[in-house]
C-alpha cells in the first residue's frame, strides 16, 4: 500500500496518473509505505543528520528525499535510530546536495542508487509481494532539486537540462512503479476552469495554491507528458503546510518594482 504525505515536511510528490488505487491492489504489500520530501537547508553540522533521522521516525516516514544537504562528498551512514542516510556528492556547487533517509524496515529492500547529476538521483527497491505466488514490486524513487525561477529565467539552459535529466530518470521498464519527490521551486497554482477543460484533472488536484508561474508550467508539462499526478495537490492542508517560500526579484516593468515567483 502507499500512503500520501501529510506532515509539514512533505512537498512535491508525483506518481503515475490513476496509479494510487492500482498500486494498493497490485502491490498487495503487508505494510504502508510513507514517502516524503524535505528541503533540509543544511545537514553539514555533525548533529543534524541524527536529528533528521529522529524526525523521520517521529513522523512515521519510510523513505524521505532530502534537498540542500550542503554536503560535498558521498556518504552512507546508519543513524542512531537505525535508519539509513545517503548523502550524494556535489561536483559543481556546495549550496545544493541530495540525499535519502530510509527507515530500518525498508533497508533490506534497497537494490541500487544512481546519481545522474548534482540535481537528480534515484533509488531502486524491490518490495516483496504479500503472497508467495506474486512477483515482487520494483520501485524507483526519484529525488530532484530544480533551479529556482530567477535562475531559470537568467539561464534557460539550466532548467532545460534539469527536465531532460528528469525525463531520463522516469523512463523505466513497465514492471516498475515510479515516484518523483523533490523541491521543484515551482508553483502549479490553483486548478483553473481551463485546466479542467483541458483534462489536467488527470495531473493535478483541486488544492493547489496561488497562480502558476513559469516553473509551474514546465512542471505541469512534465506531468502531462509522463502521465503523472501531483499527489500533494489532492489533499487539503493549511497554507503554512503547502507554500514553504515566496520570493521576489526586481522587475522594472512591474508597478511595485518586484516580480513574484
Amino acid at each position: 500500500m502507499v500512503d500520501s504525505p501529510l506532515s509539514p515536511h512533505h512537498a512535491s510528490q508525483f506518481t503515475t496518473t490513476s496509479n494510487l488505487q492500482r498500486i494498493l491492489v497490485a502491490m498487495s504489500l503487508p505494510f504502508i509505505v510513507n514517502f516524503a520530501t524535505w528541503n533540509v537547508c543544511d545537514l553539514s553540522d555533525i548533529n543534524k543528520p541524527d536529528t533528521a533521522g529522529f524526525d523521520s521516525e517521529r513522523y512515521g516516514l519510510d523513505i524521505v528525499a532530502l534537498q540542500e544537504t550542503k554536503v560535498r562528498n558521498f556518504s552512507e551512514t546508519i543513524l542512531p535510530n537505525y535508519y539509513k542516510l545517503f548523502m550524494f556528492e556535489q561536483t559543481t556547487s556546495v549550496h545544493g546536495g541530495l540525499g535519502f533517509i530510509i527507515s530500518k524496515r525498508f533497508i533490506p529492500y534497497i537494490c541500487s542508487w544512481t546519481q545522474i547529476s548534482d540535481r537528480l538521483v534515484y533509488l531502486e527497491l524491490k518490495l516483496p509481494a504479500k503472497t508467495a505466488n506474486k512477483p515482487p514490486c520494483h520501485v524507483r524513487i526519484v529525488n530532484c532539486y530544480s533551479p529556482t525561477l530567477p535562475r531559470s529565467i537568467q539561464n534557460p539552459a539550466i532548467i532545460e537540462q534539469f527536465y531532460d535529466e528528469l525525463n531520463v530518470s522516469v523512463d523505466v521498464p513497465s514492471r516498475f512503479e515510479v515516484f518523483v519527490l523533490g523541491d521543484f521551486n515551482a508553483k502549479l497554482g490553483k486548478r483553473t476552469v481551463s485546466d479542467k477543460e483541458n483534462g489536467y484533472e488527470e495531473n493535478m488536484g483541486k488544492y493547489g495554491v496561488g497562480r502558476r508561474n513559469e516553473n509551474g508550467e514546465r512542471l505541469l508539462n512534465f506531468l502531462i507528458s509522463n502521465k503523472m499526478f501531483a499527489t500533494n495537490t489532492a489533499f487539503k492542508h493549511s497554507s503554512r503546510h503547502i507554500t514553504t517560500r515566496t520570493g521576489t526579484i526586481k522587475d522594472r516593468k512591474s508597478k511595485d518594482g518586484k516580480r513574484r515567483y
Side-chain angles (χ1 to χ4, degrees):
M1 297 173 68
V2 177
D3 198 17
S4 299
L6 296 174
S7 87
H9 296 316
H10 299 150
S12 304
Q13 179 179 336
F14 313 116
T15 183
T16 307
T17 303
S18 304
N19 246 14
L20 285 179
Q21 280 302 118
R22 186 165 65 84
I23 292 171
L24 293 178
V25 176
M27 290 175 67
S28 300
L29 297 177
F31 42 71
I32 290 173
V33 184
N34 291 306
F35 298 100
T37 183
W38 185 4
N39 186 316
V40 290
C41 299
D42 193 359
L43 282 184
S44 60
D45 182 270
I46 191 170
N47 295 316
K48 286 185 176 180
D50 294 353
T51 302
F54 286 122
D55 281 349
S56 299
E57 184 174 20
R58 182 162 60 95
Y59 279 107
L61 304 176
D62 295 303
I63 299 170
V64 184
L66 308 172
Q67 303 85 40
E68 282 197 43
T69 63
K70 302 192 188 304
V71 172
R72 183 182 289 275
N73 299 316
F74 174 83
S75 64
E76 180 182 350
T77 309
I78 296 296
L79 300 172
N81 61 347
Y82 301 103
Y83 280 43
K84 177 169 278 192
L85 171 65
F86 291 100
M87 291 196 284
F88 295 87
E89 69 174 350
Q90 297 185 75
T91 58
T92 60
S93 171
V94 295
H95 302 295
L98 299 171
F100 285 105
I101 294 176
I102 313 294
S103 70
K104 52 192 173 185
R105 65 176 181 155
F106 277 83
I107 292 174
Y109 306 136
I110 298 171
C111 294
S112 64
W113 54 90
T114 301
Q115 181 168 9
I116 294 179
S117 69
D118 285 7
R119 291 189 176 274
L120 204 145
V121 299
Y122 62 80
L123 189 71
E124 291 189 350
L125 297 91
K126 186 165 69 172
L127 305 180
K130 189 173 183 178
T131 56
N133 61 339
K134 296 283 186 179
C137 181
H138 296 267
V139 180
R140 177 175 292 185
I141 302 156
V142 179
N143 179 11
C144 58
Y145 180 42
S146 169
T148 61
L149 181 57
R151 289 204 65 190
S152 301
I153 293 170
Q154 292 164 6
N155 189 350
I158 294 177
I159 192 71
E160 289 172 8
Q161 180 181 354
F162 170 77
Y163 276 99
D164 285 345
E165 293 172 347
L166 187 57
N167 277 301
V168 168
S169 73
V170 299
D171 184 13
V172 297
S174 59
R175 70 180 184 277
F176 274 78
E177 303 290 352
V178 181
F179 295 87
V180 182
L181 311 173
D183 184 345
F184 281 84
N185 282 304
K187 277 188 178 180
L188 278 173
K190 194 171 182 64
R191 194 176 67 198
T192 65
V193 173
S194 175
D195 291 336
K196 193 171 182 178
E197 291 172 349
N198 289 321
Y200 299 162
E201 288 176 298
E202 293 292 308
N203 307 105
M204 58 185 295
K206 63 181 181 180
Y207 294 110
V209 174
R211 282 186 178 182
R212 190 170 305 144
N213 62 11
E214 292 174 48
N215 271 5
E217 290 288 352
R218 294 185 179 97
L219 177 53
L220 180 58
N221 289 334
F222 166 78
L223 296 174
I224 294 167
S225 63
N226 289 284
K227 298 181 179 179
M228 303 192 88
F229 182 81
T231 59
N232 65 325
T233 63
F235 302 92
K236 189 174 183 179
H237 302 293
S238 63
S239 58
R240 68 192 179 95
H241 290 168
I242 299 172
T243 302
T244 56
R245 180 176 183 271
T246 299
T248 60
I249 57 174
K250 291 182 178 180
D251 186 353
R252 294 178 182 176
K253 295 180 181 179
S254 65
K255 292 180 180 180
D256 61 1
K258 295 179 179 179
R259 180 174 182 171
R260 287 166 178 79
Y261 62 92

